[in-house]
Amino acid sequence: MKKRGLLVLLMLVWTLLAVLPAQAADAFTFAEKKVTVFEGETVQLVQAEGGESVEDGKITYQSSDKKVATVDENGVVTGVKKGSARVTATLKKGKKTWKAQATITVARRVTKVTLSTKGLTVVEAGDPALAETLQADTGLPVILMAAGKTAALSATCTPSDASNRQITFTSTDEGVARVTSDRKLKAIQAGECDLIVASVQNPEVTETWHVLVTTAVTRVTVEADSKRVAAGETLQLRAAVSPENATFPRLQWKSRAPQVASVDQRGLVTGLKKGSATIEAAATDGSGKEGTFYVTVTQPATSLNLKEREITVVAGRKVTLSAQVGPSDTDDKSVSWFSSDEGIATVTRGTVTGVSAGTCEITCVSNSNPMLSAVATVRVIQQVSKITFEPAGGVSLPINTTLPLSWVIEPADATIQAVTFSSSHPKIVEVDENGLLYGRSRGSAVVTAAATDGSGRKGTVRVTVTQPVEGVSIQYRTYHIQLNRSLSVKAIIEPSNANNYQMSWYTGDESIATVRGNKNVGTVYGHAEGTTTVTGVTEDGGFSDSAEIRVGDFNGAVIVEEVRLTDGQLWIALRNVSDFPVETVDLRIDCYDAEGNPMICHRNGYDVQVEARYTGTLYPRERTQGEGFDLSALAFGEVEPATIAVYITGWTDSENYHRNIQSEEDRPMGYWSGNLPF
């Protein structure tokens, strides 16, 4: 019956809520239901005239998105961030309630407009070339245009995400230049005016350019005393402009192949490398007229080097020398070759052939510049044909010991008998430049001896390093094992790369704990509460070590004995039921409403669980007295929870052992319920 009465009451409330706004629609509303405000600015919402008076009523305002717009108690809206939000005004008079809404659009202002100069001829303000042309120095950059020419206009707004990025272009004198409907600037006749770029959304944001419409250059001619210039040399070009009364006769010089020849703004050409380049002199008045001059750059040889200054060649074999004639674009790179002793080595087009053991010089001379030459020293040798180790079957040595290698070079009269040594696994076997081995760790590696005379001959020998066990230690000195559960105990074999990891395991009291395992990890099972030892013994060397084993109900070492909520204050009592002191206890607090649903109880305003901690020594069988709890994260709202559950999630003892109770079912807990048992 109670439930049916509640449903009837709710239906009546819903009916009133649905009817009241409709009845008061004409009595309470905004004069403007769509309002635009810029970011950082404010606007006053105004109630429409007419309708029921609100003087004796209370109006409250609320924004649907405070990140976009806020509203104060007086209905003043502040734009915060570009976007849209709804402001709702609620009027309460007695038992009646009216609501009015306005849509707020927050716009982002345009702070700057920037004209794109692409396709425009622009001269910076104060350029001396304009001094006698402009009627007055406006301090503005100048756009040059020849009469009759047009140029496309475009501009951008800052910021790029302004609400309205539309832009207008306006000429201050359309008799000189005017802006067409397709956003082009058309030069009408010689004269001056300003071009004003403005934001449509924020007309006060503008950018102004001065426009100079000129008598255009109709022709540019370029000439010089020669059409050739050597790399590194210069050539002066001369240019003439027609008509002579052109408003702005200044020219812009440019090389179409700047890697071949450069040109400065006086028309002085500098040859850079062999090739050809077109030099252009372009009118800068926007007429688009230009004159060109074709120049050829020549490049003589200036350097000669041999890539190899010292070479070794085996008797009866060949090696090729490489001549480098510079620069890379030299016209004639050909060279001639000579040997100082053809009984030792001969040379043909840079290919050297070893004849007999000895040393001689090979000379290279430039054909285009005989003053350029380079010399290489050639050594002819007898190479190694074979390298062998003794004994051939391989060698072995214990770890951390040394052993010299023995090897044989064939033929015995090889010119260079030196070899270099390398190990395939230096972390196992090291070898120095004299062939002395050093065993670093257990394993095997291949040691290689390589001839240094370029023959590519190598000899190899396998080296084995042995590693015995030198000791063992249990990873931890004390292990806590939950009653009727198991835990792995690891023994650290020393060194870690020892050959044999086999071990035997036993416990001091098998009624408390047993252990099984045949390598360096034993599994200990706790049978009864108490303390015993676990011992591991290595098969290699008989090394042993022990650790203490404590078996008990460690998950239940501390229990929640009492939980109370009095006047909004939570009171918790814990008891240490173990036989050892506990320093800290970690807690988790869960809050529930009257229907058993989780409810927010964290100070952050959204978590339904709170982590807490008790700090202070709690001796065996001792109970807390309400102090020492850190409940700073706990905070109740206007409605207190109907049920509070407190779980113990872990503890730390006086020996700094920390027990983390991970399983929910293993965690001791207590609860308080203001209504029914939870």
Side-chain angles (χ1 to χ4, degrees):
M1 292 299 293
K2 290 183 179 180
K3 290 184 178 179
R4 178 176 296 177
L6 178 61
L7 289 173
V8 171
L9 178 60
L10 290 174
M11 291 178 66
L12 288 173
V13 172
W14 290 336
T15 303
L16 288 173
L17 291 176
V19 172
L20 283 176
Q23 294 175 343
D26 295 331
F28 183 61
T29 183
F30 287 120
E32 295 183 9
K33 295 187 178 182
K34 292 185 179 181
V35 179
T36 299
V37 62
F38 287 109
E39 291 176 324
E41 297 184 9
T42 61
V43 64
Q44 174 69 60
L45 295 176
V46 180
Q47 182 187 3
E49 294 182 359
E52 184 174 339
S53 173
V54 299
E55 292 180 356
D56 56 347
K58 182 180 179 181
I59 302 177
T60 58
Y61 298 89
Q62 185 177 11
S63 170
S64 65
D65 191 342
K66 294 181 180 179
K67 293 182 179 180
V68 174
T70 62
V71 61
D72 67 10
E73 66 275 10
N74 299 314
V76 176
V77 176
T78 300
V80 178
K81 181 181 178 182
K82 178 183 175 183
S84 180
R86 292 187 311 279
V87 168
T88 301
T90 302
L91 169 62
K92 291 186 177 181
K93 295 180 63 176
K95 295 182 179 180
K96 293 185 178 182
T97 300
W98 293 267
K99 291 183 182 291
Q101 285 190 337
T103 300
I104 307 300
T105 299
V106 179
R108 183 157 294 166
R109 277 185 174 277
V110 174
T111 59
K112 183 181 179 182
V113 291
T114 304
L115 177 70
S116 171
T117 58
K118 183 178 180 181
L120 300 177
T121 301
V122 177
V123 180
E124 293 299 322
D127 191 312
L130 295 175
E132 298 180 0
T133 304
L134 291 176
Q135 295 178 359
D137 184 2
T138 63
L140 298 174
V142 178
I143 299 173
L144 290 179
M145 295 188 69
K149 296 291 185 178
T150 60
L153 296 176
S154 65
T156 58
C157 288
T158 302
S160 59
D161 59 348
S163 297
N164 185 342
R165 297 185 295 277
Q166 291 184 338
I167 292 174
T168 61
F169 300 94
T170 306
S171 170
T172 60
D173 189 343
E174 294 193 348
V176 175
R178 64 182 178 86
V179 178
T180 63
S181 59
D182 55 352
R183 298 167 70 93
K184 291 182 180 180
L185 182 63
K186 183 174 183 180
I188 306 301
Q189 64 179 353
E192 300 177 34
C193 65
D194 287 340
L195 174 66
I196 299 174
V197 185
S199 164
V200 173
Q201 175 181 271
N202 302 102
E204 72 279 4
V205 179
T206 64
E207 183 181 65
T208 304
W209 295 72
H210 198 61
V211 179
L212 174 61
V213 179
T214 65
T215 298
V217 173
T218 59
R219 183 181 181 189
V220 180
T221 57
V222 183
E223 60 181 19
D225 295 334
S226 175
K227 292 186 177 182
R228 301 173 66 87
V229 63
E233 300 295 330
T234 61
L235 176 65
Q236 181 64 59
L237 304 184
R238 300 180 297 276
V241 173
S242 298
E244 293 183 358
N245 65 340
T247 304
F248 199 67
R250 183 178 176 183
L251 300 175
Q252 180 74 33
W253 293 89
K254 177 183 176 182
S255 171
R256 294 181 182 174
Q259 73 279 10
V260 175
S262 64
V263 62
D264 65 14
Q265 294 310 304
R266 297 173 299 166
L268 185 65
V269 175
T270 300
L272 300 177
K273 70 175 185 178
K274 178 184 176 182
S276 59
T278 298
I279 307 299
E280 68 177 39
T284 58
D285 63 350
S287 63
K289 299 299 181 180
E290 66 181 22
T292 59
F293 189 85
Y294 189 81
V295 63
T296 300
V297 181
T298 61
Q299 181 62 68
T302 58
S303 65
L304 173 61
N305 294 290
L306 290 177
K307 187 175 181 180
E308 306 85 2
R309 304 305 297 268
E310 294 184 1
I311 61 171
T312 299
V313 60
V314 178
R317 295 188 182 180
K318 298 180 179 181
V319 65
T320 299
L321 291 173
S322 176
Q324 298 173 328
V325 179
S328 60
D329 56 354
T330 299
D331 294 320
D332 185 0
K333 294 185 179 181
S334 64
V335 295
S336 297
W337 300 87
F338 306 93
S339 171
S340 64
D341 189 340
E342 293 191 347
I344 296 175
T346 61
V347 60
T348 303
R349 293 189 293 276
T351 299
V352 178
T353 302
V355 177
S356 62
T359 302
C360 67
E361 290 184 342
I362 301 297
T363 302
C364 174
V365 179
S366 169
N367 290 333
S368 63
N369 185 357
M371 299 298 294
L372 297 176
S373 64
V375 178
T377 300
V378 178
R379 183 186 182 195
V380 181
I381 65 169
Q382 175 62 55
Q383 284 188 318
V384 173
S385 61
K386 188 177 183 181
I387 303 174
T388 56
F389 284 95
E390 296 177 349
V395 296
S396 65
L397 72 162
I399 190 172
N400 297 325
T401 62
T402 60
L403 180 70
L405 286 172
S406 177
W407 66 95
V408 176
I409 300 292
E410 297 179 23
D413 63 346
T415 304
I416 302 174
Q417 297 210 359
V419 295
T420 59
F421 295 95
S422 62
S423 170
S424 62
H425 297 289
K427 293 183 178 180
I428 298 175
V429 178
E430 285 185 356
V431 58
D432 68 9
E433 67 275 9
N434 300 313
L436 181 65
L437 300 174
Y438 177 73
R440 288 184 58 88
S441 62
R442 181 180 68 87
S444 64
V446 174
V447 172
T448 301
T452 61
D453 62 355
S455 63
R457 300 298 180 182
K458 297 180 179 180
T460 61
V461 61
R462 180 166 291 278
V463 180
T464 302
V465 180
T466 60
Q467 174 62 67
V469 174
E470 297 177 356
V472 68
S473 61
I474 303 297
Q475 188 174 19
Y476 302 110
R477 306 320 305 161
T478 303
Y479 290 85
H480 294 72
I481 301 178
Q482 183 70 15
L483 184 65
N484 296 324
R485 296 192 183 178
S486 61
L487 184 69
S488 294
V489 176
K490 183 177 181 180
I492 308 301
I493 301 292
E494 299 175 2
S496 60
N497 61 346
N499 294 51
N500 191 344
Y501 266 57
Q502 294 295 319
M503 292 185 66
S504 299
W505 294 89
Y506 62 90
T507 60
D509 188 342
E510 292 191 348
S511 66
I512 296 175
T514 57
V515 61
R516 56 185 175 84
N518 56 13
K519 289 190 177 181
N520 67 318
V521 177
T523 301
V524 180
Y525 188 87
H527 296 283
E529 292 189 3
T531 302
T532 184
T533 58
V534 62
T535 302
V537 182
T538 65
E539 184 178 82
D540 181 7
F543 297 97
S544 66
D545 193 24
S546 300
E548 183 181 66
I549 298 296
R550 297 179 182 176
V551 180
D553 182 13
F554 297 108
N555 291 340
V558 181
I559 64 173
V560 181
E561 199 164 74
E562 186 176 356
V563 180
R564 295 202 309 265
L565 181 63
T566 305
D567 296 329
Q569 299 296 317
L570 182 64
W571 190 88
I572 303 172
L574 308 177
R575 186 178 293 278
N576 182 357
V577 297
S578 72
D579 57 358
F580 51 85
V582 173
E583 296 289 343
T584 61
V585 181
D586 296 323
L587 306 171
R588 193 191 80 203
I589 301 171
D590 295 0
C591 299
Y592 302 88
D593 61 19
E595 297 181 358
N597 298 314
M599 66 180 294
I600 295 171
C601 57
H602 199 289
R603 188 170 297 280
N604 61 21
Y606 52 82
D607 281 335
V608 297
Q609 295 182 337
V610 176
E611 302 296 330
R613 171 169 288 184
Y614 170 78
T615 304
T617 303
L618 194 61
Y619 293 98
R621 309 305 169 184
E622 188 177 30
R623 171 187 165 110
T624 61
Q625 300 302 315
E627 297 181 353
F629 287 89
D630 180 6
L631 302 175
S632 59
L634 185 67
F636 302 131
E638 296 180 358
V639 179
E640 293 184 352
T643 302
I644 299 176
V646 179
Y647 295 86
I648 295 178
T649 60
W651 50 262
T652 303
D653 66 11
S654 58
E655 296 178 356
N656 206 32
Y657 168 72
H658 179 72
R659 184 74 176 182
N660 184 21
I661 309 173
Q662 296 183 345
S663 174
E664 189 82 12
E665 63 183 15
D666 291 339
R667 293 173 174 172
M669 66 87 69
Y671 71 91
W672 169 88
S673 178
N675 298 321
L676 298 175
F678 175 60

